[in-house]
Amino acid sequence: ATCLSVLTEENNFLGKLDYIKDIKDKFKIPVLAKDFFIDPYQITLSKSYGCDCVLIIIAALDKKNADDIYAEALKHDLSVIVEVHDEKEAENALKYEKALIGINNRNLKTLDVSIDNTISIFKILKNHKGPLISESGIKDEKDAKYIYEKTGIKNFLIGESLLKSDNIAELMKRFTQIIQ
């Protein structure tokens, strides 16, 4: 793993900012604070707990608020993942030149998941200077390989399949072998 995504949103996902400190005390790995960032103050707060990266969910913010949160993150030398779910959001995300862009394969309205969402949105983002990430619904190395072969994307935010795995180390090994 290049980075560890940590749920910090307390009300809906039972996360905690303290998880970041706990992880940083035990492991030398960058941490993404995974929360619904709606106020620039949350950036400063998350940074104080030791996060290295924050998530901006385009669908959850108006343009001004997204811009303010992005600027605050850069001010604190944090990496930013701008998350998009559709082509319109992808077009809007291109202005965040220093960001990583995450293509979420989960439809927020229906909660259906299709890894083909990454494939269809990639055509808009293919010239983005920063890394692209395929997020959600990647069950195994076959899904990751399919995405990689269609787009060249080799960054994946994988959660559920790791949590359900009986052998996380073996699953991670299989994921990394497809892009080497």
Side-chain angles (χ1 to χ4, degrees), residues 21-131:
K21 281 187 176 182
D22 294 344
I23 290 165
K24 297 290 266 189
D25 286 345
K26 295 177 186 168
F27 304 102
K28 301 295 181 230
I29 187 167
V31 172
L32 163 68
K34 196 164 183 187
D35 203 333
F36 296 105
F37 288 94
I38 58 171
D39 188 300
Y41 169 77
Q42 292 173 278
I43 301 297
T44 306
L45 182 63
S46 295
K47 173 74 175 186
S48 75
Y49 279 81
C51 82
D52 303 283
C53 184
V54 295
L55 180 68
I56 296 176
I57 303 171
I58 294 292
L61 301 168
D62 62 41
K63 288 179 184 180
K64 182 186 179 330
N65 209 1
D67 290 348
D68 291 347
I69 291 169
Y70 177 73
E72 188 71 16
L74 294 182
K75 185 173 105 179
H76 288 284
D77 294 322
L78 293 171
S79 295
V80 177
I81 297 175
V82 174
E83 182 176 280
V84 301
H85 299 85
D86 60 34
E87 292 178 359
K88 183 177 183 231
E89 291 175 11
E91 289 170 5
N92 292 336
L94 286 170
K95 72 179 180 179
Y96 302 109
E97 294 180 5
K98 294 181 181 179
L100 297 87
I101 298 180
I103 304 168
N104 197 318
N105 295 310
R106 185 177 318 277
N107 181 312
L108 290 181
K109 294 178 180 89
T110 65
L111 299 182
D112 292 335
V113 176
S114 170
I115 60 173
D116 285 320
N117 198 46
T118 291
I119 312 307
S120 64
I121 291 176
F122 172 75
K123 64 184 177 260
I124 294 169
L125 299 173
K126 66 183 175 187
N127 293 322
H128 177 65
K129 292 179 180 146

